[in-house]
Amino acid sequence: MANFHVIAGAEATPAHPVVRKIGLADIKDALVKGLDDFLAMPSHLAFLGLIYPIFGICLAALSFSNNALPLLYPLVTGFALVGPFAAIGLYEISRRRELGLDTSWHHAFDVLRSPSIPSIVALGILLLIIFLAWLAVARSLYEALFGPIAPTSYSSFFHQVLTSSEGWTLIILGNAIGFIFAAVVLSISVISFPLLLDRDVGAAVALQTSIRAALTNPFMIALWGLIVATALVIGSIPLLVGLAIVMPVLGHATWHLYRKLVEPSSAAVAA
């Protein structure tokens, strides 16, 4: 039976990948390659990408039916907090294309057979916890400003938020707090999931490497986060359907960003 591990990797002594310094040209190249992956395999990637807008629409419907309108915006924006985990299948497709392997859509589920799957699931749970914490903080902030009673309709909610000082406090403070959550998730997940797919290093090394990459390239990682956030906003405008294109492109580009940020393993170099 294969050795089951989560925090540590398969090796007795953790191997810490070498992090590179990248520039604007690397960010651009990662995006170009991500788009190229999508254009080369559009049919099944569009299918996978539809998971995101469908899930987002379901979240919106759930918020409305449960009279939880104050959570609608935190739900939609907070979905990006779990996006790095949700895009794991897209990283796998890019990895396979890079190796010249078959890229049929069902191979996106090959991640379930990865030796790193316990670590991948553990990091996914961590992102889910952060997502739930964001929702709890957003709800508490709303109730601190407006009380526990939720508005009964979209129109009353938007009127309440946009025409009162409390509403503008909610917008400014809520987005500032959300930025902190997003910065934390970006730092710990920008390359951790692609790294685990590529090498069975364990959750601890994956997190440390992602944070080192962010600290080594603070401006470039911040720019990457801004690009991702902008693309998600643009993709969300047409009832979230645009995410069917935006999410696959970003997912593939993230794999190529990982390749820019981390030196190949000695085994890969030898091969």
Side-chain angles (χ1 to χ4, degrees):
M1 180 180 295
N3 182 33
F4 182 87
H5 48 270
V6 177
I7 303 301
E11 303 297 329
T13 302
H16 295 273
V18 177
V19 172
R20 293 167 170 157
K21 187 81 173 177
I22 64 171
L24 189 60
D26 295 305
I27 296 287
K28 180 180 178 181
D29 190 54
L31 290 169
V32 170
K33 288 181 176 178
L35 180 60
D36 182 62
D37 281 353
F38 176 73
L39 293 177
M41 305 165 287
S43 57
H44 53 275
L45 294 184
F47 167 76
L48 288 175
L50 283 173
I51 294 173
Y52 297 89
I54 289 173
F55 183 64
I57 291 170
C58 289
L59 289 178
L62 179 64
S63 292
F64 184 77
S65 61
N66 287 344
N67 197 25
L69 283 175
L71 285 181
L72 180 57
Y73 178 76
L75 278 168
V76 173
T77 56
F79 182 53
L81 299 178
V82 294
F85 175 63
I88 193 77
L90 299 171
Y91 309 150
E92 174 64 11
I93 294 295
S94 281
R95 186 188 75 85
R96 292 183 65 85
R97 187 183 185 218
E98 183 180 89
L99 295 173
L101 301 175
D102 179 46
T103 55
S104 299
W105 70 266
H106 59 84
H107 285 298
F109 299 98
D110 285 357
V111 296
L112 298 176
R113 296 194 293 270
S114 169
S116 295
I117 192 62
S119 300
I120 291 171
V121 171
L123 291 188
I125 292 173
L126 174 61
L127 294 190
L128 179 60
I129 292 172
I130 294 175
F131 171 66
L132 295 175
W134 156 243
L135 293 183
V137 170
R139 181 76 188 203
S140 297
L141 177 61
Y142 177 86
E143 291 183 354
L145 292 170
F146 293 103
I149 301 177
T152 57
S153 67
Y154 282 106
S155 59
S156 62
F157 172 66
F158 288 124
H159 182 269
Q160 182 184 56
V161 170
L162 297 176
T163 62
S164 66
S165 59
E166 292 86 356
W168 284 104
T169 300
L170 177 68
I171 292 172
I172 296 172
L173 189 55
N175 279 291
I177 295 173
F179 173 80
I180 295 173
F181 275 91
V184 170
V185 167
L186 180 65
S187 298
I188 67 175
S189 68
V190 63
I191 59 169
S192 54
F193 289 103
L195 174 58
L196 286 171
L197 271 183
D198 190 36
R199 312 178 204 177
D200 188 12
V201 297
V205 170
L207 285 174
Q208 293 168 10
T209 305
S210 189
I211 293 171
R212 284 194 293 117
L215 293 177
T216 303
N217 302 276
F219 178 75
M220 289 298 110
I221 296 301
L223 176 61
W224 180 258
L226 179 61
I227 290 171
V228 170
T230 302
L232 291 176
V233 169
I234 294 173
S236 300
I237 291 174
L239 296 177
L240 307 179
V241 176
L243 294 180
I245 295 175
V246 170
M247 289 302 297
V249 172
L250 290 177
H252 292 305
T254 298
W255 171 262
H256 295 292
L257 180 69
Y258 157 70
R259 286 303 197 198
K260 301 286 186 183
L261 283 166
V262 176
E263 290 280 358
S265 65
S266 56
V269 171

